[in-house]
């Protein structure tokens, strides 16, 4: 894509990646593999630092049970967002995700401080 030259700047010092996609578009299922490869695996970030959000448009009869995600995407935390039906659920999942990222940052900082001391 034409923004690829900006990717290194976007990735620098990032602690988490949220990939939002439209599960009704088969092309998106292929594209998120590329996003995962570039933004998570190449950094490298832990899978727990990545959140997949399958966003269902209003009125789409989205199947939230069986998304044909291939390995390694099927290892990632996946939430379905449908802001018409359950915005609160999505909000709670985001809060959980941000808490987990903060925990990882704090653990890394403590590890670095211990390394300096010892």
């Amino acid at each position: 894509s034409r923004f690829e030259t900006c990717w290194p700047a976007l990735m620098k010092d990032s602690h988490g990646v949220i990939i939002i996609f439209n599960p009704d578009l088969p092309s998106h299922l292929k594209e998120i593999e590329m996003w995962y490869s570039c933004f998570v695996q190449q950094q490298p970030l832990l899978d727990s630092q990545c959140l997949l959000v399958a966003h269902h448009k209003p009125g789409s009869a989205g199947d939230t049970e069986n998304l044909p995600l291939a390995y390694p995407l099927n290892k990632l935390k996946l939430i379905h967002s449908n802001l018409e039906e359950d915005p609160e659920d999505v909000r709670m999942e985001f809060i959980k995700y941000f808490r987990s990222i903060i925990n990882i940052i704090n653990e890394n900082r403590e590890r670095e401080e211990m390394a300096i001391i010892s």
Side-chain angles (χ1 to χ4, degrees):
S1 89
R2 59 197 166 147
F3 296 116
E4 272 180 55
T5 49
C6 307
W7 287 3
L10 286 173
M11 289 191 255
K12 187 177 171 355
D13 299 329
S14 64
H15 296 291
V17 174
I18 298 173
I19 300 173
I20 301 173
F21 64 100
N22 181 344
D24 299 325
L25 293 179
S27 62
H28 273 205
L29 297 180
K30 280 253 78 56
E31 273 176 44
I32 57 177
E33 289 179 23
M34 187 259 313
W35 291 110
Y36 172 77
S37 168
C38 292
F39 280 85
V40 181
Q41 287 179 313
Q42 288 175 29
Q43 286 222 65
L45 291 176
L46 300 170
D47 284 341
S48 57
Q49 287 168 279
C50 182
L51 178 65
L52 286 182
V53 181
H55 184 65
H56 298 270
K57 290 197 166 134
S60 73
D63 181 3
T64 59
E65 293 310 307
N66 307 306
L67 253 190
L69 292 180
Y71 179 88
L73 295 173
N74 58 9
K75 301 185 311 193
L76 302 175
K77 172 85 176 144
L78 168 71
I79 65 172
H80 290 270
S81 76
N82 184 329
L83 299 181
E84 278 187 322
E85 285 174 25
D86 212 346
E88 189 53 32
D89 201 38
V90 176
R91 203 173 75 88
M92 291 311 298
E93 289 292 352
F94 268 103
I95 289 169
K96 262 196 279 187
Y97 170 70
F98 287 125
R99 280 204 187 115
S100 72
I101 295 292
I102 290 165
N103 286 339
I104 289 169
I105 294 168
N106 289 338
E107 282 166 19
N108 288 345
R109 187 177 299 136
E110 281 168 23
R111 210 172 295 123
E112 284 165 16
E113 286 169 2
M114 290 309 293
I116 292 167
I117 293 166
S118 52

